Short mmCIF file of all heavy atoms in Angstrom, two decimals:
data_model
loop_
_atom_site.label_atom_id
_atom_site.label_comp_id
_atom_site.label_asym_id
_atom_site.label_seq_id
_atom_site.Cartn_x
_atom_site.Cartn_y
_atom_site.Cartn_z
N LEU A 866 -4.80 -15.92 12.49
CA LEU A 866 -4.03 -14.67 12.48
C LEU A 866 -3.64 -14.28 13.91
O LEU A 866 -2.53 -13.85 14.16
CB LEU A 866 -4.86 -13.56 11.82
CG LEU A 866 -4.14 -12.25 11.48
CD1 LEU A 866 -2.93 -12.49 10.59
CD2 LEU A 866 -5.10 -11.27 10.80
N PRO A 909 -2.69 -9.79 1.21
CA PRO A 909 -3.02 -8.70 2.14
C PRO A 909 -4.43 -8.16 1.91
O PRO A 909 -5.07 -7.70 2.86
CB PRO A 909 -1.95 -7.64 1.83
CG PRO A 909 -1.39 -7.99 0.50
CD PRO A 909 -1.55 -9.48 0.36
N ASP A 923 -2.95 -2.89 14.44
CA ASP A 923 -1.91 -2.12 15.13
C ASP A 923 -0.62 -2.92 15.24
O ASP A 923 0.47 -2.43 14.94
CB ASP A 923 -2.37 -1.73 16.53
CG ASP A 923 -3.44 -0.65 16.48
OD1 ASP A 923 -3.72 -0.18 15.36
OD2 ASP A 923 -3.97 -0.30 17.54
N TRP A 928 4.77 -4.19 13.16
CA TRP A 928 5.75 -5.17 12.67
C TRP A 928 6.24 -4.77 11.27
O TRP A 928 7.43 -4.79 10.99
CB TRP A 928 5.13 -6.58 12.64
CG TRP A 928 6.11 -7.62 12.23
CD1 TRP A 928 6.94 -8.34 13.04
CD2 TRP A 928 6.41 -8.04 10.88
NE1 TRP A 928 7.73 -9.18 12.28
CE2 TRP A 928 7.42 -9.02 10.97
CE3 TRP A 928 5.90 -7.68 9.63
CZ2 TRP A 928 7.96 -9.64 9.82
CZ3 TRP A 928 6.42 -8.29 8.50
CH2 TRP A 928 7.44 -9.26 8.61
N GLU A 931 8.56 -1.67 11.43
CA GLU A 931 9.88 -1.98 11.98
C GLU A 931 10.73 -2.76 11.00
O GLU A 931 11.90 -2.46 10.77
CB GLU A 931 9.72 -2.75 13.30
CG GLU A 931 9.31 -1.83 14.43
CD GLU A 931 8.98 -2.56 15.72
OE1 GLU A 931 9.04 -3.82 15.73
OE2 GLU A 931 8.66 -1.88 16.71
N ALA A 933 10.35 -2.96 7.69
CA ALA A 933 10.65 -2.16 6.49
C ALA A 933 11.78 -1.16 6.77
O ALA A 933 12.69 -1.01 5.96
CB ALA A 933 9.39 -1.42 6.03
N LEU A 978 11.77 7.36 4.60
CA LEU A 978 10.52 6.61 4.81
C LEU A 978 9.35 7.40 4.25
O LEU A 978 9.19 8.59 4.52
CB LEU A 978 10.29 6.36 6.31
CG LEU A 978 8.95 5.70 6.69
CD1 LEU A 978 8.80 4.32 6.06
CD2 LEU A 978 8.82 5.62 8.22
N ILE A 980 5.21 7.17 3.99
CA ILE A 980 3.99 6.49 4.42
C ILE A 980 2.94 6.67 3.33
O ILE A 980 2.68 7.80 2.91
CB ILE A 980 3.46 7.10 5.74
CG1 ILE A 980 4.52 7.08 6.84
CG2 ILE A 980 2.18 6.38 6.17
CD1 ILE A 980 4.87 5.71 7.33
N ILE A 1004 8.36 14.70 12.21
CA ILE A 1004 9.28 13.57 12.37
C ILE A 1004 10.25 13.52 11.19
O ILE A 1004 11.37 13.03 11.30
CB ILE A 1004 8.49 12.24 12.50
CG1 ILE A 1004 7.67 12.23 13.78
CG2 ILE A 1004 9.41 11.03 12.45
CD1 ILE A 1004 6.67 11.09 13.86
N MET A 1020 -8.93 17.28 -2.72
CA MET A 1020 -8.34 18.51 -3.23
C MET A 1020 -7.99 19.48 -2.10
O MET A 1020 -6.95 20.13 -2.14
CB MET A 1020 -9.30 19.21 -4.19
CG MET A 1020 -9.57 18.42 -5.45
SD MET A 1020 -8.10 18.15 -6.43
CE MET A 1020 -8.73 16.99 -7.63
N ASP A 1111 24.41 -0.08 -13.81
CA ASP A 1111 24.04 0.77 -14.94
C ASP A 1111 22.78 1.54 -14.58
O ASP A 1111 21.68 1.04 -14.63
CB ASP A 1111 23.81 -0.10 -16.18
CG ASP A 1111 23.43 0.75 -17.39
OD1 ASP A 1111 23.31 1.98 -17.24
OD2 ASP A 1111 23.26 0.16 -18.46
#
Side-chain angles (χ1 to χ4, degrees):
L866 191 56
D923 289 355
W928 184 89
E931 285 173 358
L978 174 61
I980 305 291
I1004 294 169
M1020 295 298 171
D1111 180 357

